[in-house]
């Protein structure tokens, strides 16, 4: 028996030996020819100076020292960060690499991570003034600098910036640029109507205030497809909700927000809904505490994007669309939620949600000591704004089927 096995092994070795001799030698994989295009398309939005990633991957010189770590992170699919289960939907902003790209990177590293010929290097992508959305039409800045103390908990700070708009404007893309990434934990931008600031309670995201954009660690800027825009009325203010986290020394921040106005006529306004549950209590030590929420569509609509939001104890999050006749389908599943990556999942094809259908969200929280992010497994955890408290929100971005702003302006003009 042993002998047979040995022969078999020998034969296998021979077969492999021969095949490697016979195969054409695999071509040299180089940074300039093969790897730079992958990094340009998939990594440098974050991996360049001034952005959230710890190192730049724009040039060979920048990337070479990280070769081994790069191989490890792309093989494990930790990088690029992407957390949707591919079984349940296609997203236009899917950052994950193809198998082919992963193989190319692995081969490059295994072959010694060489640079290659300068002639092969494609032109690096441009980020004018650091903006990912392109050069903004308008940049609004916090009216004054804010000093973040060295220690302690800083309650949310609100800064109201007048837009100065004399007429209603449609916005197609929005990007928030933190002034000092070391201390800016997250920013949410709201649009408040001209009289909004005078009304009480408007600055705590309740009633009358519309979300405009958010930036949390890992979140990419908002950009809508042509024909879809966000309405910002004349005289509106943009209010920035700033969540600062002290880092041991006093720091200054002045965050700005860039807007690109819609260049094409806008047919539909982007609307926002949220499946929220504020009434949960996660027991101490609970490993898999379930919380559910729902959002019902009152009119026929199409869903454009989805975004789960939880804090440090968030474990997984699922969005199901339940049709009026009871049929249902999963439209987004994030099996391993990671608080560090607040991703808005843009559906590759908008999904029809007829009137009466519901988006049902199911989340699980891990309040045990197994969760390495857990600030305190001994606490009962309830809804709250600080990161050691929790949230459970399934944001839904959609348009209304009946809405056609082009037609209504045409009709209005005819009536004139
Ligand atoms: C959306 C932003 C983003 C994208 C896209 C992205 N990264 Fe990262 N990357 C980060 C951040 C932030 C970190 C540091 C925190 C972490 O490890 O999660 C990081 C860490 C890394 C590390 C580990 C560095 C270390 O300290 O050991 C490697 C390697 C890496 N990225 C490679 C890549 C490669 C290769 C790509 C593209 C194929 C890529 N990343 C795409 C944001 C990004």
């Amino acid at each position: 028996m042993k002998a047979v096995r040995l022969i078999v092994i020998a034969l296998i070795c021979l077969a492999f030996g021969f095949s490697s001799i016979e195969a054409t030698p695999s071509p040299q994989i180089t940074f300039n020819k093969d790897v730079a295009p992958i990094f340009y398309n998939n990594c440098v939005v974050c991996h360049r100076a001034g952005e959230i990633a710890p190192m730049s991957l724009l040039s060979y010189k920048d990337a070479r020292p990280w070769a081994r770590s790069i191989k490890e992170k792309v093989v494990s699919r930790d990088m690029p960060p992407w957390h949707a289960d591919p079984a349940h939907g296609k997203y236009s902003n899917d950052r994950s690499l193809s198998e082919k790209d992963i193989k190319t990177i692995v081969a490059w590293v295994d072959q010694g991570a060489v640079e290659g010929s300068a002639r092969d290097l494609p032109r690096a992508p441009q980020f004018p003034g650091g903006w990912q959305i392109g050069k903004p039409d308008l940049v609004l800045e916090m009216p004054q600098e804010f000093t973040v103390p060295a220690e302690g908990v800083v309650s949310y700070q609100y800064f109201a910036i007048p837009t100065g708009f004399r007429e209603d404007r449609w916005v197609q893309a929005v990007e928030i640029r933190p002034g000092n990434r070391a201390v800016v934990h997250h920013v949410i931008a709201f649009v408040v109507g001209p009289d909004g600031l005078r009304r009480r309670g408007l600055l705590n995201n309740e009633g009358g205030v519309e979300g405009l954009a958010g930036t949390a660690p890992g979140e990419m800027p908002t950009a809508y497809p042509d024909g879809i825009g966000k309405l910002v009325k004349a005289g509106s203010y943009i209010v920035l909700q700033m969540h600062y986290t002290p880092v041991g020394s006093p720091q200054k921040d002045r965050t700005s927000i860039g807007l690109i106005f819609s260049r094409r006529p806008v047919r539909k306004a982007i609307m926002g809904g949220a499946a929220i549950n504020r009434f949960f209590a996660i027991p101490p030590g609970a490993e898999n505490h379930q919380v559910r929420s729902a959002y019902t569509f009152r009119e026929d609509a199409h869903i454009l994007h989805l975004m789960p939001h939880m804090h440090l104890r968030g474990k997984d999050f699922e969005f199901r669309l339940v049709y009026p006749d009871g049929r249902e389908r999963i439209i987004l599943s994030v099996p391993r939620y990671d608080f560090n990556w607040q991703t808005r999942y843009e559906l590759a094809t908008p999904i029809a949600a007829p009137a009466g259908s519901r988006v049902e969200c199911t989340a699980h929280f891990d309040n045990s000591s197994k969760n390495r992010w857990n600030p305190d497994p001994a606490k009962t955890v309830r809804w709250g704004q600080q990161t050691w408290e929790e949230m459970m929100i399934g944001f839904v971005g959609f348009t209304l089927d009946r809405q056609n702003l082009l037609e209504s302006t045409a009709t209005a003009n005819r009536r004139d």
Side-chain angles (χ1 to χ4, degrees):
M1 265 321 267
K2 233 186 199 160
V4 174
R5 234 188 256 160
L6 277 177
I7 290 168
V8 170
I9 291 169
L11 281 175
I12 290 172
C13 292
L14 271 176
F16 274 94
F18 278 126
S19 69
S20 73
I21 291 163
E22 276 168 17
T24 44
S26 54
Q28 174 86 63
I29 305 284
T30 73
F31 180 85
N32 288 348
K33 180 163 56 68
D34 309 286
V35 174
I38 301 175
F39 286 2
Y40 289 175
N41 285 331
N42 302 282
C43 317
V44 302
V45 286
C46 301
H47 285 274
R48 66 192 152 93
E51 292 306 315
I52 55 171
M55 75 287 192
S56 169
L57 294 179
L58 264 172
S59 72
Y60 178 73
K61 223 176 92 232
D62 294 333
R64 179 65 187 84
W66 295 94
R68 272 187 44 200
S69 168
I70 290 170
K71 175 181 164 183
E72 211 174 277
K73 295 277 180 183
V74 301
V75 167
S76 65
R77 291 193 172 272
D78 287 334
M79 284 288 146
W82 184 255
H83 302 94
D85 180 345
H88 295 297
K90 288 219 175 340
Y91 310 93
S92 59
N93 60 335
D94 188 343
R95 290 190 286 241
S96 49
L97 291 181
S98 65
E99 283 300 331
K100 185 168 161 273
D101 287 347
I102 295 175
K103 280 202 182 114
T104 303
I105 292 171
V106 169
W108 173 64
V109 175
D110 289 349
Q111 292 177 12
V114 301
E115 181 168 13
S117 159
R119 270 175 321 181
D120 291 336
L121 186 67
R123 208 172 102 87
Q126 303 296 307
F127 300 93
W131 296 94
Q132 285 177 46
I133 53 173
K135 190 172 174 301
D137 296 318
L138 179 68
V139 177
L140 298 168
E141 233 186 350
M142 264 162 50
Q144 69 271 348
E145 217 172 44
F146 179 74
T147 304
V148 183
E151 285 161 31
V153 176
V154 183
S155 58
Y156 283 27
Q157 301 291 313
Y158 292 90
F159 298 92
I161 314 171
T163 58
F165 292 174
R166 299 233 174 80
E167 52 191 35
D168 296 356
R169 301 299 303 259
W170 288 97
V171 171
Q172 185 162 11
V174 185
E175 183 173 348
I176 298 170
R177 285 198 68 78
N180 182 347
R181 283 190 193 277
V183 285
V184 175
H185 180 274
H186 82 242
V187 187
I188 297 176
F190 300 101
V191 179
V192 180
D195 61 341
L197 290 179
R198 273 179 258 128
R199 281 193 269 150
R200 278 167 51 112
L202 277 190
L203 293 188
N204 59 6
N205 191 16
E206 316 235 9
V209 182
E210 294 169 59
L212 177 64
T215 190
E219 200 186 326
M220 296 288 106
T222 305
Y224 302 116
D226 282 343
I228 295 177
K230 170 82 195 167
L231 181 61
V232 179
K233 292 226 167 100
S236 294
Y237 289 77
I238 289 177
V239 173
L240 299 183
Q241 178 199 67
M242 303 294 305
H243 182 188
Y244 291 113
T245 41
V247 289
S249 59
Q251 296 276 329
K252 291 191 185 320
D253 171 63
R254 194 164 181 185
T255 286
S256 46
I257 179 165
L259 307 179
I260 290 184
F261 298 121
S262 308
R263 302 225 158 72
R264 302 269 172 81
V266 172
R267 268 185 312 116
K268 287 181 188 291
I270 188 80
M271 320 280 281
I276 299 190
N277 185 336
R278 296 174 197 261
F279 308 105
F280 54 81
I282 310 166
E287 268 174 46
N288 201 33
H289 184 78
Q290 181 174 295
V291 179
R292 305 186 59 183
S293 64
Y295 178 84
T296 303
F297 289 95
R298 308 206 184 287
E299 296 187 40
D300 292 350
H302 272 75
I303 304 174
L304 267 71
H305 63 248
L306 301 165
M307 182 175 151
H309 181 69
M310 302 182 281
H311 292 170
L312 297 167
R313 291 164 176 97
K315 190 176 178 187
D316 56 56
F317 204 106
E318 184 180 275
F319 285 78
R320 265 171 312 122
L321 180 60
V322 182
Y323 295 95
D325 65 6
R327 278 180 309 127
E328 58 173 71
R329 63 187 273 209
I330 297 172
I331 53 176
L332 171 66
S333 167
V334 177
R336 277 184 301 141
Y337 179 81
D338 183 341
F339 174 66
N340 293 308
W341 296 106
Q342 303 280 332
T343 306
R344 195 179 45 248
Y345 296 88
E346 317 269 356
L347 296 164
T349 319
I351 295 179
S357 52
R358 291 153 56 84
V359 167
E360 293 192 356
C361 298
T362 306
H364 291 94
F365 293 89
D366 183 352
N367 195 16
S368 74
S369 52
K370 285 186 194 151
N371 173 2
R372 67 180 172 125
W373 300 110
N374 192 348
D376 188 354
K379 280 238 157 68
T380 299
V381 183
R382 296 190 167 83
W383 176 274
Q385 300 221 317
Q386 296 294 346
T387 44
W388 64 82
E389 301 166 312
E390 269 303 335
M391 287 202 177
M392 193 283 178
I393 312 176
F395 289 106
V396 184
F398 60 90
T399 55
L400 295 175
D401 292 4
R402 69 170 163 86
Q403 188 174 50
N404 186 340
L405 295 161
L406 296 178
E407 241 169 40
S408 49
T409 24
T411 325
N413 289 342
R414 267 205 302 279
R415 276 200 210 109
D416 281 347

